Amino acid sequence: MSSSDFAPIERSSVAEQVAKKLLDLVRTKNLKPGDQLPPERELATLMQVSRPSVREALRGLQILGVLKVRQGGGIYVTSLEASDLLGPLQLLITLNEENVNALYESRRLIDGAIGRMAAERISDADIDRLKNLLIVQRDLLADPIGFRVSDVEFHRTISEATGNPFLVRVSTSLYVLGMEYRRIAAETPGVLSQSFADHEIIVSALAARDPDAAQEGMIRHMANVHQSTVAAMEMKP
């Protein structure tokens, strides 16, 4: 990088302009994954802006997963993988009564599409893994903690079968958002049995390589999870 990479910018919305300039450098590969940025003071001098403006821009890019601070204080470009760029989603949204419907509307769309795509791409090894998970889950219907652990693996296996890392990360982030209330719901009689029955339908559709049935199975599962989550939220003091 040279000083020409950090040409002066307009003074309006300074922090946003700084962030945009840095993103442009990443987009054009002048800054690549693993590159260390100049110190804050030097960036401010190169861009002819104040250090607070640079600090605000860097903080925003860290939240977005584009930059990270390593031990010792250096600021680096992340790997720019889906897990870096989408991970902050679950930190920026808190599940509450106002947005729980939006969450599960999103999960029906995302997980439904994942089910369809997985049915078209899933390997025999992953089908066997899902069938083995069903055997495990059948013995965990009275063990909410154990079932939740296996549930994470169940949904991860299906999403990774798509081969699409962005879908995997979005699905995982949405899954995590509901975890607090899923813990409560798992203690409710009948909830785990319903989830297990849903899982059997989904695995059957995936094993048959039936995209329509897999999508419908995932959507129905999300609707049931939505219902039990809302009930759990109403139970929480």
Side-chain angles (χ1 to χ4, degrees), residues 80-219:
L80 302 177
E81 294 179 352
S83 57
D84 292 318
L85 301 177
L86 297 174
L89 173 64
Q90 64 201 49
L91 300 177
L92 297 176
I93 305 174
T94 300
L95 187 62
N96 55 44
E97 293 179 1
E98 286 71 35
N99 62 25
V100 65
N101 293 334
L103 169 63
Y104 284 98
E105 180 178 60
S106 300
R107 290 199 67 186
R108 286 193 295 274
L109 288 170
I110 297 296
D111 285 65
I114 284 173
R116 170 172 288 277
M117 192 178 295
E120 298 169 342
R121 302 179 180 182
I122 196 165
S123 66
D124 290 340
D126 281 337
I127 291 293
D128 289 341
R129 180 168 185 76
L130 290 170
K131 288 180 177 179
N132 288 331
L133 280 170
L134 288 180
I135 294 172
V136 171
Q137 289 181 351
R138 189 185 298 276
D139 293 330
L140 293 173
L141 296 181
D143 180 358
I145 295 176
F147 193 95
R148 288 203 310 273
V149 172
S150 70
D151 189 66
V152 171
E153 186 65 17
F154 181 86
H155 285 277
R156 184 191 64 79
T157 300
I158 295 173
S159 62
E160 289 187 351
T162 66
N164 186 315
F166 288 91
L167 280 177
V168 172
R169 191 61 191 184
V170 170
S171 177
T172 300
S173 294
L174 295 177
Y175 184 103
V176 170
L177 283 172
M179 282 298 290
E180 176 184 359
Y181 296 104
R182 296 310 302 155
R183 285 193 290 269
I184 300 173
E187 304 285 346
T188 304
V191 168
L192 296 186
S193 296
Q194 180 63 66
S195 288
F196 178 71
D198 290 346
H199 289 180
E200 287 187 308
I201 292 171
I202 292 167
V203 173
S204 177
L206 292 172
R209 276 27 182 222
D210 186 334
D212 289 337
Q215 181 175 23
E216 178 58 33
M218 290 291 277
I219 290 173

